[in-house]
Amino acid sequence: SSWLLLAPLLTPPVPVVTAPPCSLCPEGAHRFQWIRNLVPEFGISSSHVKVLSSPAEFYELLKVQIKTAKQRVVMASLYLGTGLLEQELVDCLEETLEKSLQTKESPDLRVSILLDYTRGSRGRKNSRTMLIPLLQRFPERVRVSLFHTPNLRGLLRLLIPERFNETIGLQHIKVYLFDDNVILSGANLSDLYFTNRQDRYVLLQDSPEIADFFTELVDAIGDVSLQLQQDDTVQMMEGMVHPYQGDKVAYCEIANQRVMEVINSARTRQELLHAKTFHSSQQSNSALSQQGSQVSGGLKPEPDTWIYPLIQMKPFGIQIDEMVTETLLTEAERDARIYLTTGYFNLTQAYMDLILGTRAEYRILLASPEVNGFFGAKGVAGAIPAAYVYIEHQFYSEVCYLHQEERVQLQEYSRAGWTFHAKGLWLYLAGSNLPCLTLIGSPNFGYRSVHRDLEAQVAIVTENKALQQQLHQEQEQLYLCSGVVSSSTFEQPNRYVKLWVKLITPLIKNFF
């Protein structure tokens, strides 16, 4: 469409981002404690962390967690699909809510669902129509918030058709929370993600502080989102600025304040808790340590794993995830290994420059054209896999030009009958065969993730060998289904990129 040619002109200039001034401390996994200068630090036991490996395991866990929830169900996703598997999830929610009304075990159960407005409204049968029965039956207990980007407004909103309007900006966070259990993933609530679309999934069990944080984060975004009504209309909360009808600057300022209030208040709480618990155990006696553990709700083992939530919402002026990621790439020392994976290989220029200009070894896993989520799509979307091939070829050519083929290696995920959507990073320190840090969540490390969409992931830092082994096995399992990219890769017939795709890719690459 002709609007695609003009769309980049509508994008505001990109400000230069500088990483926070910090240097990595020398002692083991604690070298990453600088992250707590930006976000809350949650210390937990590695026994509370479980790494999942398959879509089916993810889906079954969602159902079990919904059925056993007593106080809260909080789910943030891009959208909810409309198939039988998705309907089964909605039925589970309905049964749990009905049960909570009939028993005294969970009289205060609340369900909060955050989706994207444009993606959740696509088609006649959509996320909204799937959830309206819950709203009608449990109006006091169910909240459905639909985030609408403030950048899609005015003439732009009127002219861009359905599906294409999703390129301007989305609610892309994927967090699934049940009482004090939190699932962090890149997977959406759709049948593909429950069957044959490979992603990543981590369960944080019995982690009330982390669950509280993400509940507050989803509530904050929900407060600045459109609220779905029982008649399929939407409206803003009373007194709130409208995302596309109200003043854009005022809306973004309010959204920034709401989200940063969540981050800063949680950071303050954790600093106080941190001072009373495991730090005091290093400086005082065991009695003080026990007292600190009781502050957080009972006796707990000493934490050997730390969770740092990284938020990226450039429309609201929040770019924490970008700063942390850039710092990790900048500070990775020689002989360290970074495994980076993305379902859509379209790195920002800053990330590419850091990968090509720093000292660590990189193994970058991306989707082969056949397992790209857009493979076989109709219309313009069908050319997107070819555009990714073109971007990949350009990056590989740059690697070769700089003679970095040994240090920076590309690998393509290929698995018959599957698509690939996994994203994240594993960091292996020099001389170590196990990762001490991983990033997991919704960002793809591309322009959209950094500049357009609402994103969240967590940095998991652990000293525990068993958890490090879990993360290592997760990485190996993904990379085993891949082949190394070489110059001959781009000579294959299925890598032919038409001239018009090459011409248009630089113009539209910031939208997918």
Side-chain angles (χ1 to χ4, degrees):
S1 301
S2 58
W3 72 268
L4 285 170
L5 299 174
L6 298 173
L9 302 177
L10 304 170
T11 308
V14 180
V16 176
V17 178
T18 56
C22 61
S23 59
L24 303 186
C25 307
E27 64 268 12
H30 285 286
R31 67 173 56 216
F32 304 106
Q33 283 187 339
W34 56 266
I35 303 176
R36 73 178 183 208
N37 295 328
L38 298 169
V39 296
E41 174 188 70
F42 300 98
I44 63 173
S45 168
S46 56
S47 61
H48 292 183
V49 184
K50 182 182 179 183
V51 180
L52 284 66
S53 60
S54 72
E57 193 178 4
F58 169 60
Y59 180 61
E60 291 304 318
L61 180 61
L62 286 176
K63 291 193 294 182
V64 168
Q65 291 291 318
I66 289 172
K67 290 176 181 178
T68 56
K70 297 289 188 277
Q71 283 85 38
R72 58 186 170 188
V73 173
V74 179
M75 298 197 290
S77 185
L78 174 60
Y79 69 105
L80 171 70
T82 58
L84 295 177
L85 295 180
E86 297 93 320
Q87 185 60 55
E88 192 174 341
L89 277 185
V90 176
D91 292 343
C92 286
L93 286 169
E94 184 177 6
E95 290 169 15
T96 303
L97 284 162
E98 184 64 41
K99 182 180 174 183
S100 75
L101 289 177
Q102 296 173 356
T103 66
K104 295 181 180 180
E105 291 182 14
S106 51
D108 299 322
L109 177 67
R110 295 289 183 270
V111 174
S112 177
I113 299 173
L114 171 67
L115 305 173
D116 182 73
Y117 176 89
T118 53
R119 183 64 182 87
S121 303
R122 185 200 291 183
R124 284 190 175 183
K125 188 178 182 182
N126 52 42
S127 305
R128 293 162 63 164
T129 59
M130 292 286 287
L131 293 169
I132 283 174
L134 285 183
L135 278 173
Q136 293 173 338
R137 189 166 180 190
F138 308 99
E140 302 300 319
R141 290 171 173 251
V142 177
R143 179 191 192 190
V144 179
S145 305
L146 301 169
F147 174 80
H148 191 294
T149 177
N151 293 327
L152 182 62
R153 55 175 48 232
L155 194 61
L156 193 66
R157 189 174 188 274
L158 291 174
L159 293 178
I160 301 183
E162 195 175 78
R163 293 176 67 95
F164 289 98
N165 57 9
E166 297 165 25
T167 63
I168 304 303
L170 296 167
Q171 191 306 111
H172 201 244
I173 295 169
K174 290 85 184 277
V175 174
Y176 308 109
L177 188 157
F178 313 90
D179 292 342
D180 293 337
N181 300 328
V182 183
I183 303 172
L184 292 154
S185 179
N188 292 304
L189 296 173
S190 173
D191 55 1
L192 290 175
Y193 296 89
F194 304 149
T195 52
N196 62 346
R197 189 154 171 74
Q198 183 64 57
D199 215 299
R200 297 180 66 207
Y201 334 84
V202 167
L203 169 65
L204 306 177
Q205 298 172 295
D206 189 24
S207 302
E209 293 92 357
I210 300 173
D212 288 346
F213 172 83
F214 280 107
T215 297
E216 292 171 14
L217 179 67
V218 172
D219 282 347
I221 303 169
D223 288 348
V224 298
S225 299
L226 295 157
Q227 306 300 305
L228 182 64
Q229 307 298 305
Q230 296 179 34
D231 60 356
D232 199 19
T233 60
V234 293
Q235 63 183 41
M236 290 299 291
M237 290 175 58
E238 189 175 349
M240 191 62 66
V241 178
H242 199 282
Y244 62 85
Q245 294 176 351
D247 181 80
K248 180 180 176 181
V249 173
Y251 173 81
C252 291
E253 285 180 353
I254 291 172
N256 174 285
Q257 291 169 7
R258 288 287 288 111
V259 173
M260 289 308 300
E261 182 183 353
V262 171
I263 295 171
N264 291 330
S265 62
R267 185 165 162 255
T268 301
R269 286 198 306 268
Q270 290 308 117
E271 284 177 349
L272 291 172
L273 190 62
H274 189 267
K276 293 176 181 177
T277 53
F278 61 89
H279 259 329
S280 66
S281 69
Q282 296 173 359
Q283 300 165 3
S284 188
N285 56 41
S286 59
L288 283 175
S289 176
Q290 183 175 345
Q291 180 186 354
S293 297
Q294 289 169 345
V295 171
S296 59
L299 292 173
K300 292 185 178 181
E302 286 290 305
D304 57 10
T305 299
W306 293 269
I307 310 296
Y308 302 93
L310 309 178
I311 311 303
Q312 184 74 14
M313 301 178 181
K314 186 64 76 68
F316 304 155
I318 299 170
Q319 50 202 77
I320 296 170
D321 179 63
E322 179 184 8
M323 288 193 290
V324 171
T325 302
E326 287 189 0
T327 304
L328 288 173
L329 299 182
T330 301
E331 298 289 343
E333 73 255 31
R334 188 181 302 278
D335 296 327
R337 284 176 294 135
I338 292 179
Y339 289 79
L340 187 150
T341 177
T342 173
Y344 305 110
F345 183 74
N346 187 13
L347 301 178
T348 65
Q349 190 63 49
Y351 290 163
M352 285 194 290
D353 290 345
L354 286 170
I355 290 170
L356 294 173
T358 51
R359 300 160 295 177
E361 294 181 14
Y362 285 86
R363 300 293 179 264
I364 302 174
L365 182 62
L366 49 123
S368 65
E370 295 77 18
V371 300
N372 186 293
F374 291 96
F375 185 75
K378 296 179 181 179
V380 176
I384 289 179
Y388 281 117
V389 169
Y390 182 58
I391 294 168
E392 176 190 352
H393 195 181
Q394 284 185 311
F395 181 77
Y396 179 77
S397 298
E398 185 72 11
V399 170
C400 294
Y401 175 76
L402 297 172
H403 305 291
Q404 300 289 314
E405 300 97 316
E406 292 298 317
R407 191 180 64 81
V408 181
Q409 191 176 95
L410 296 181
Q411 295 177 229
E412 287 186 351
Y413 186 94
S414 182
R415 188 176 179 185
W418 284 64
T419 55
F420 184 69
H421 196 249
K423 67 277 303 263
L425 176 153
W426 298 259
L427 173 60
Y428 294 68
L429 297 178
S432 175
N433 293 321
L434 296 174
C436 65
L437 175 146
T438 190
L439 301 182
I440 179 170
S442 63
N444 277 297
F445 306 103
Y447 187 94
R448 283 195 62 99
S449 293
V450 171
H451 297 284
R452 295 189 176 279
D453 299 340
L454 305 192
E455 305 278 11
Q457 64 179 339
V458 294
I460 302 176
V461 179
T462 184
E463 295 176 336
N464 180 269
K465 295 299 181 185
L467 179 53
Q468 289 179 354
Q469 188 65 44
Q470 273 195 75
L471 295 170
H472 176 67
Q473 289 174 352
E474 178 199 31
Q475 177 270 115
E476 279 196 324
Q477 186 176 352
L478 290 172
Y479 279 70
L480 277 174
C481 297
S482 70
V484 177
V485 172
S486 65
S487 57
S488 62
T489 302
F490 302 100
E491 297 171 3
Q492 299 171 16
N494 63 341
R495 303 309 167 97
Y496 174 73
V497 180
K498 296 178 181 178
L499 178 60
W500 72 268
V501 174
K502 292 181 180 180
L503 293 174
I504 202 172
T505 295
L507 297 172
I508 66 171
K509 65 182 294 186
N510 293 343
F511 292 85
F512 60 85

